[in-house]
Amino acid sequence: MCDIAALKDEQNSCLFNTRRLRLSNVLLIGVGGIGCGIAVHLAGAGVGSISVCDFDVAAAENLNRQFIFTTADLGARKAEAAARFVSGYAPDCRVTPIVQKVSGQNAADIISGYDLVMLACDNIPTRLAVNEACSMRCINLIDSGISGGCGSSYLYIPGKSACLACLMDGTAESADKRTVGAVAGIVAGIASVTALEILSSKSHKKAGKLILTDALNNTTDELNIKKLKGCRICGGDLNVG
Ligand SMILES: [Zn+2]
């Protein structure tokens, strides 16, 4: 059998620190359209350990974007089905399923001990609970989301950049739940590259920058997000970094 880990090292060597990737331990919250892409991209790049957290089950209406599930997985816990798929796809990656709903009560315990948290869910209370827990535990957080043909990715580094509470101030949950698999794929790719940069080189260059992609109009923009004055999570400084 070929040495998959060695082949990945060869592929990554000019872009990322493969040794650091292999030693990394990532928590992915939400195995939806974006989360499926993130799990595959990180495992494929040689990240050593990924925990996939989702309480929900695979459903037929989501298969257009949740491509790691098949019709045979319908009704199965997504965290467990995702762990099975990723373990087969990348046997050099240790994948742990966590079947749990993340809330303000358990977020700090669930995220504890990871090098990076990848947040890919459309639920604002969950995102804010994870944001607060990451701030408290000083763990870097990448948040991603899609709505229609648009998507976003944001890197929060506690102590350095504005937090998700500042980013989402006044934001309502999108009423449009229709999502195109290809758009989820674009956002998953952007978020995954940011993750590989952070894990392998500790690069902070994308901290506090919201990357916005409009797939239908073929545009990508980068916005600097400022800390809101008085934010109880990230300190209330008006300056980023
Ligand atoms: Zn904040």
Side-chain angles (χ1 to χ4, degrees), residues 14-228:
C14 63
L15 293 173
F16 303 113
N17 184 319
T18 53
R19 183 176 170 278
R20 284 185 178 164
L21 291 183
R22 209 157 292 292
L23 294 173
S24 296
N25 190 13
V26 175
L27 172 64
L28 168 63
I29 300 175
V31 195
I34 298 174
C36 286
I38 289 173
V40 167
H41 290 319
L42 296 192
V47 169
S49 179
I50 303 173
S51 293
V52 287
C53 179
D54 202 308
F55 70 96
D56 213 347
V57 297
E61 63 268 29
N62 299 331
L63 293 184
N64 71 322
R65 58 196 184 278
Q66 297 177 9
F67 62 91
I68 65 176
F69 308 127
T70 70
T71 51
D73 294 315
L74 295 181
R77 295 287 184 187
K78 289 200 290 184
E80 293 170 347
R84 279 195 298 275
F85 179 91
V86 177
S87 295
Y89 169 71
D92 56 322
C93 180
R94 186 171 64 255
V95 191
T96 306
I98 301 174
V99 181
Q100 230 173 326
K101 186 170 187 172
V102 181
S103 69
Q105 280 69 50
N106 61 15
D109 289 335
I110 289 175
I111 68 156
S112 187
Y114 291 96
D115 300 308
L116 174 69
V117 175
M118 304 285 292
L119 188 48
C121 70
D122 59 2
N123 177 315
I124 288 181
T126 300
R127 292 163 75 192
L128 291 177
V130 173
N131 175 62
E132 185 165 354
C134 284
S135 176
M136 191 169 71
R137 299 274 196 231
C138 215
I139 296 174
N140 295 336
L141 169 65
I142 297 174
D143 176 70
S144 305
I146 50 175
S147 177
C150 299
S152 66
S153 180
Y154 182 73
L155 169 62
Y156 168 44
I157 296 184
K160 185 168 181 65
S161 54
C163 75
L164 295 196
C166 295
L167 171 70
M168 296 192 292
D169 182 49
T171 302
E173 252 168 53
S174 171
D176 186 358
K177 300 293 183 187
R178 294 172 299 173
T179 45
V180 178
V183 179
I186 292 168
V187 175
I190 291 171
S192 297
V193 170
T194 302
L196 296 174
E197 288 172 335
I198 284 288
L199 293 170
S200 68
S201 70
K202 309 298 181 191
S203 166
H204 292 176
K205 66 185 178 188
K206 290 179 182 169
K209 296 183 189 303
L210 179 67
I211 303 170
L212 288 170
T213 299
D214 182 341
L216 301 182
N217 290 301
N218 200 24
T219 61
T220 300
D221 294 306
E222 185 180 274
L223 301 179
N224 288 312
I225 302 302
K226 302 290 187 187
K227 294 179 181 179
L228 289 178

